[in-house]
Amino acid sequence: MIDFEPSEEQALIIETVHQFAENEIRPRSRETDESGVPPQALLAAAHELGLVANGLPEAMGGGGARSALTGALIAEELGWGDMALALAILSPGLVGFPVADHGAESLRRRVLPGLLGPSFVPGSLALVEPRFDFDVFHPKTTARRDGDAYRIDGLKCHVPWLAGGRHVVVIACESEGTGSGAAGPLAAFVVERDAAGLRAEPEQNMGLCGLPTAELVLEGVRVPAESRLAASDADLRRLIDRGRIAIAATALGAARAAFEVARDYARQRETFGQPIATRQAIAFKLADMAIEIDGARLLVWEAAAALDAGAEAARQVRLAQDQTARVALVVADSAVQVFGGHGYIRDYLPEMSLRNLAGLASYEALALV
Amino acid sequence: MTIRFDLSEGSLRAQSHYRQVALDQMRPISRKYDLAEHALPREWVDYWWREGRFGAKGGAALANDGFVTICLQAEQLCWGDAGLYLRMPTPALGGSAVSAAGTKEQQAKFMAGFREVGGQPIWGAMAITEPHAGSDAAAIETTAEFDPATDEWILNGTKIFCTAGEGASTEPGGFVVVWATLDKAAGRAAIKSFVVPAGTPGMQLLGCEKKLGIRASDTATLRFENCRVPKDNLLGRAEVKKQEAAKAGEASSKDSSKDSSKDKGFKGAMATFDASRPIVAAMATGVGRAALEFLIEELARQGVVIRYDAPPRERTAIEKDVIEMEADLQAARLLTWRAAWMMNKGRPNNLEASMAKAKAGLAVTKITQKAVQILGPLGHSRKLLVEKWMRDAKINDIYEGTQQINQLIVARRILDYSSAVLR
Ligand SMILES: Cc1cc2nc3c(=O)[nH]c(=O)nc-3n(C[C@H](O)[C@H](O)[C@H](O)COP(=O)(O)OP(=O)(O)OC[C@H]3O[C@@H](n4cnc5c(N)ncnc54)[C@H](O)[C@@H]3O)c2cc1C
């Protein structure tokens, strides 16, 4: 029976997260974008809401209520507040969810309690690699069996790297021989952030400046076999799909924020004696923004519901991710245009929206649901 | 209640049933009636009257998704052939108007013929558009004058572009709902709709248009010359409400769905669009899907299989196009279902109905054009149906409110502007 109504519980979550985004996140959005450092107090306050913990296993002290759909609803509201801060807030899930889903018992005991403790502990996922032809399902980073351990080599970028994090999940291709060809299946490893052979260099990017990220150089990083997640290639593809939904939902929230400020601005900005919103050139742009945001959101929901149902969802996720990337950029650009010269100025939201929402296609799994 | 996308059993049954109907009854004669423009598609009309209108056997007993299921039917049948869909003997938009604004007695009287088993096929139609009034429906000039001597309304004027107008004006038992003004000076408040039974003296069929697409559909011009209908054929009340006249600028699309009671005059009449736009959006989706499915199958026959997991930089131009077309089509379909689902819930859906119609109309216009373009000579050839689907798709961005009119409605809603402020 088809239904577009969030459950009562989801509605409550949306409301709570929206309030938080409005009162706590949005007011710190610009200053964080400029400083590049998310306020620790904000992260602590977000941690108290238990948004990530709610999806972690009950046996470990989590809420045991993992849902890609609910996760997407949360991510959208957080992203509405600020996209970079949303990703910072969700970062514990980058380690927590893969370990909860696929980690050996000993690994879960080593990693999860830290994430579920009283203070905020960020997580990191190293997936994307700094090359224009990066193929998320065939990374060049390799993992080679080396006795009772693995040896990881490669280069990663766009790795969320907030202060105080302990672990990073590294996605690599399992490789047999010694050549550089990495044609094996995907494999994931939990690596200590201070492991020998791992070097993190802070990144400077056009957008998401409020989210500290790093480029990782992995040279002969050795991890015990236990740190390898028991996840098949197919499992990891699904994990990546969950990341795509998380990013898409967050971006939709950010696009919705851009739309809303543009709509409100258009109603009060007057030219030639009338609000610009009374001109069709502006009004129709706003109408299209609203239509496309809603359409993309429904694609994201549908894909998330398919993931939750355990159904084959790769195609739906692809449609949702692509559509969102397209829509978010058009919406952000339209918001700048509606603001005119003011849209170019850093006092207003649209210029940040445009920086954050450009190049979405290269943001894979900066968050997970 | 929770967000979910699985269809109920009744919907799934309807989906597969109407797909089969489309395959067996529509596709084989699709080209035939595209070429034989004004001919009555006898085999299709008879099939629908005899069998089609009663739906899938046992289907009615299953739980369905209300208006969403109706949208699924429209999508499947227009996947079959949009022109033939519009030629089905049904009350169509005329029926929506009677259901939305008519009394119980009026509904019983005018719809009876459509429920009868056996007999001859009949049609319903809605005539709003005139040579000088399309998008601006409040500018219509057809007049209705009351004759107290006979207790009748007298209609005078010309209506154009009336879908199913040929059947509805000539086959006894059918009817045309005609919009007319009681007083041109009073604006929207004076616009009322009247049920004119087929064959009423004074209603004359002047002919049908030759069109780009949906050629199996009879798009009629109707002339009304001292056409008399009984007093009770007026839908809604006869008086011209003062406050409605005063708020004329507020009427039409803006407030149409806020209250759901009958008799809201012009507003009430416009509210029928909130119910019909999702269906038109679903029809659009059907045509778009026909072209897109064919494109994907044809590419596969040529050894080109769309890779959904290829990284962005490795995708071919065709893969990029097809994936974008699929996403646009699915976004349109989900917006449509949402608008229909809101009707199930009895919620105002004026905004969502226009969102769905605007998105679907434009999406399938682009999708079908792109399919023609990608298929090259195959796209142009009349040996295949792709070129026909492109011609058929375009109407969805024009009737039931053009793209621009639906953008206006969406914009007014999100900006909280009246139609006087944003026009
Ligand atoms: C095949 C077919 C079937 C039809 N079936 C029916 C039917 O059954 N019953 C019926 O009553 N009518 C029917 N119509 C009529 C249809 O609804 C109208 O054609 C449509 O509403 C547009 O009106 P118009 O043709 O007068 O164009 P116009 O109103 O003259 O519009 C011309 C252009 O101007 C744009 N425009 C108009 N106003 C504005 C504005 N305020 N802001 C921005 N742009 C604007 C329009 O979007 C359009 O692009 C049918 C039409 C066709 C072609």
Side-chain angles (χ1 to χ4, degrees):
Chain A
M1 187 72 131
I2 195 151
D3 203 322
F4 293 89
E5 187 86 30
S7 68
E8 262 175 55
E9 199 188 336
Q10 285 168 337
L12 193 68
I13 293 174
I14 293 173
E15 199 194 312
T16 309
V17 180
H18 185 78
Q19 292 277 323
F20 185 79
E22 185 166 4
N23 301 331
E24 307 296 331
I25 301 180
R26 186 70 71 82
R28 292 171 185 86
S29 171
R30 180 58 74 174
E31 69 192 53
T32 310
D33 183 70
E34 299 275 336
S35 72
V37 186
Q40 208 56 44
L42 174 69
L43 297 176
H47 183 64
E48 302 247 305
L49 291 178
L51 299 176
V52 174
N54 196 38
L56 291 174
E58 266 175 306
M60 293 286 156
R66 180 85 178 281
S67 155
L69 186 52
T70 307
L73 298 173
I74 292 171
E76 177 175 340
E77 294 312 315
L78 292 174
W80 178 88
D82 180 89
M83 186 157 170
L85 285 170
L87 298 172
I89 288 167
L90 293 173
S91 78
L94 292 174
V95 167
F97 293 138
V99 170
D101 289 351
H102 307 292
E105 191 56 26
S106 55
L107 188 65
R108 300 172 97 193
R109 288 195 186 289
R110 179 149 65 84
V111 173
L112 296 182
L115 299 175
L116 287 161
S119 51
F120 175 85
V121 175
S124 300
L125 179 71
L127 175 61
V128 183
E129 298 176 354
R131 34 189 312 135
F132 85 97
D133 60 348
F134 170 63
D135 178 350
V136 67
F137 296 129
H138 301 98
K140 300 276 185 207
T141 298
T142 55
R144 287 187 175 79
R145 187 83 199 202
D146 183 3
D148 59 354
Y150 283 89
R151 180 200 152 109
I152 306 174
D153 293 278
L155 209 55
K156 294 285 184 183
C157 66
H158 283 4
V159 182
W161 206 254
L162 284 92
R166 294 169 202 163
H167 302 102
V168 51
V169 171
V170 178
I171 310 282
C173 241
E174 210 172 341
S175 185
E176 300 269 307
T178 47
S180 64
L186 289 171
F189 301 85
V190 176
V191 180
E192 307 281 335
R193 268 175 52 164
D194 55 9
L198 187 157
R199 205 169 70 245
E201 313 211 341
E203 281 179 354
Q204 303 289 336
N205 291 319
M206 168 176 73
L208 300 184
C209 300
L211 175 74
T213 57
E215 190 164 300
L216 297 192
V217 184
L218 300 126
E219 277 170 341
V221 176
R222 278 179 64 88
V223 292
E226 176 214 77
S227 296
R228 185 195 155 143
L229 298 179
S232 66
D233 189 84
D235 289 336
L236 292 175
R237 282 175 180 247
R238 277 185 96 70
L239 188 81
I240 290 167
D241 278 346
R242 284 175 166 272
R244 291 173 162 175
I245 290 305
I247 283 289
T250 318
L252 268 178
R256 194 180 101 211
F259 158 72
E260 287 175 8
V261 297
R263 176 198 63 198
D264 296 346
Y265 185 80
R267 279 176 56 89
Q268 53 107 123
R269 176 70 177 177
E270 295 197 357
T271 66
F272 308 96
Q274 276 193 50
I276 56 172
T278 63
R279 318 275 179 201
Q280 288 191 352
I282 299 294
F284 284 12
K285 214 184 252 300
L286 292 168
D288 287 343
M289 291 159 83
I291 293 169
E292 293 301 331
I293 289 172
D294 277 13
R297 178 186 300 111
L298 293 174
L299 288 177
V300 169
W301 284 3
E302 193 188 30
L307 284 171
D308 282 341
E312 169 56 40
R315 176 177 159 276
Q316 281 169 315
V317 170
R318 157 63 63 231
L319 299 189
Q321 182 192 25
D322 284 10
Q323 189 79 348
T324 305
R326 255 194 313 276
V327 166
L329 181 56
V330 172
V331 167
D333 182 70
S334 299
V336 170
Q337 199 64 28
V338 167
F339 269 71
H342 297 81
Y344 206 75
I345 307 298
R346 294 222 296 276
D347 290 346
Y348 302 94
L349 184 67
E351 78 81 27
M352 184 168 34
S353 312
L354 185 55
R355 283 186 289 109
N356 286 347
L357 295 173
L360 268 185
S362 56
Y363 297 165
E364 302 269 13
L366 287 184
L368 290 172
V369 287
Chain B
M1 262 185 297
T2 186
I3 298 164
R4 51 193 283 189
F5 294 87
D6 51 321
L7 295 166
S8 66
E9 233 185 307
S11 286
L12 294 172
R13 169 73 72 87
Q15 214 173 23
S16 62
H17 171 73
Y18 289 112
R19 184 185 171 90
Q20 205 55 46
V21 170
L23 274 175
D24 297 346
Q25 309 292 335
M26 303 176 98
R27 285 284 178 95
I29 56 169
S30 198
R31 178 61 73 185
K32 176 178 171 190
Y33 289 104
D34 179 56
L35 294 173
E37 183 155 22
H38 289 137
L40 182 77
R42 190 81 260 174
E43 57 273 60
W44 166 244
V45 167
D46 285 346
Y47 163 79
W48 190 259
W49 190 253
R50 189 180 67 242
E51 204 177 315
R53 63 187 165 127
F54 301 111
K57 286 206 177 63
L62 302 172
N64 64 31
D65 297 290
F67 284 98
V68 176
T69 310
I70 295 175
C71 286
L72 285 168
Q73 176 190 339
E75 181 185 329
Q76 291 297 40
L77 293 177
C78 288
W79 175 86
D81 188 297
L84 292 172
Y85 176 83
L86 292 166
R87 198 65 181 264
M88 293 189 311
T90 72
L93 285 176
S96 316
V98 171
S99 311
T103 60
K104 284 244 154 47
E105 295 72 39
Q106 286 173 323
Q107 291 178 23
K109 182 169 165 202
F110 298 120
M111 306 293 269
F114 290 93
R115 297 202 190 92
E116 234 166 70
V117 180
Q120 289 301 309
I122 55 174
W123 287 264
M126 172 101 119
I128 306 169
T129 308
E130 299 180 0
H132 301 289
S135 301
D136 187 2
I140 56 168
E141 290 167 353
T142 295
T143 56
E145 206 184 329
F146 190 62
D147 180 356
T150 59
D151 246 8
E152 287 172 324
W153 294 100
I154 310 171
L155 303 179
N156 277 290
T158 301
K159 294 290 178 184
I160 61 168
F161 298 168
C162 178
T163 297
E166 180 184 280
S169 66
T170 56
E171 292 300 324
F175 63 86
V176 182
V177 172
V178 178
W179 286 30
T181 174
L182 304 188
D183 175 7
K184 193 80 187 72
R188 287 159 206 258
I191 292 175
K192 306 286 170 185
S193 45
F194 302 83
V195 179
V196 183
T200 303
M203 172 165 67
Q204 194 193 349
L205 170 69
L206 293 189
C208 287
E209 304 285 350
K210 297 177 186 162
K211 305 188 297 293
L212 173 68
I214 53 165
R215 291 184 182 168
S217 169
D218 46 331
T219 308
T221 303
L222 300 175
R223 170 109 192 102
F224 297 86
E225 223 162 14
N226 293 324
C227 175
R228 290 172 170 267
V229 294
K231 184 177 170 218
D232 289 344
N233 284 26
L234 167 80
L235 298 174
R237 275 194 231 118
E239 67 257 32
V240 176
K241 272 199 221 142
K242 283 264 160 43
Q243 67 272 43
E244 198 179 343
K247 288 203 307 179
E250 283 281 322
S252 101
S253 45
K254 171 118 202 324
D255 290 328
S256 58
S257 66
K258 273 193 180 154
D259 24 24
S260 65
S261 62
K262 308 270 173 185
D263 195 45
K264 296 177 309 293
F266 190 77
K267 282 197 232 170
M270 294 304 277
T272 57
F273 286 120
D274 297 341
S276 59
R277 280 182 181 138
I279 295 176
V280 174
M283 292 163 59
T285 311
V287 183
R289 186 161 58 78
L292 186 50
E293 270 180 16
F294 180 84
L295 172 64
I296 292 171
E297 283 162 18
E298 184 58 30
L299 289 172
R301 272 193 288 277
Q302 306 296 325
V304 178
V305 175
I306 306 301
R307 298 166 304 160
Y308 295 95
D309 60 352
R313 289 111 201 135
E314 272 180 30
R315 273 185 231 161
T316 62
I318 286 179
E319 284 174 333
K320 207 167 148 290
D321 280 344
V322 169
I323 289 172
E324 184 168 340
M325 289 153 87
E326 285 191 63
D328 268 334
L329 190 72
Q330 187 62 10
R333 177 187 285 118
L334 293 175
L335 287 169
T336 302
W337 290 357
R338 179 180 67 168
W341 169 83
M342 290 179 78
M343 296 195 46
N344 290 347
K345 298 265 155 192
R347 293 189 200 162
N349 72 337
N350 180 245
L351 168 68
E352 291 79 6
S354 280
M355 282 181 150
K357 166 67 171 68
K359 175 71 187 175
L362 189 58
V364 306
T365 295
K366 285 190 187 161
I367 286 166
T368 53
Q369 290 173 3
K370 197 97 202 173
V372 165
Q373 185 200 319
I374 292 175
L375 287 167
L378 299 181
H380 283 269
S381 171
R382 285 215 218 157
K383 282 190 198 150
L384 298 175
L385 289 169
V386 185
E387 64 85 23
K388 176 179 181 298
W389 292 324
M390 187 195 103
R391 290 184 286 111
D392 287 352
K394 182 64 198 171
I395 191 60
N396 294 293
D397 215 23
I398 298 175
Y399 63 14
E400 288 287 302
T402 59
Q403 173 68 213
Q404 290 70 29
I405 293 305
N406 283 291
Q407 282 174 309
L408 267 180
I409 295 168
V410 171
R412 285 177 197 148
R413 284 275 164 193
I414 60 180
L415 290 161
D416 201 18
Y417 279 165
S418 69
S419 52
V421 176
L422 183 61
R423 46 179 141 187

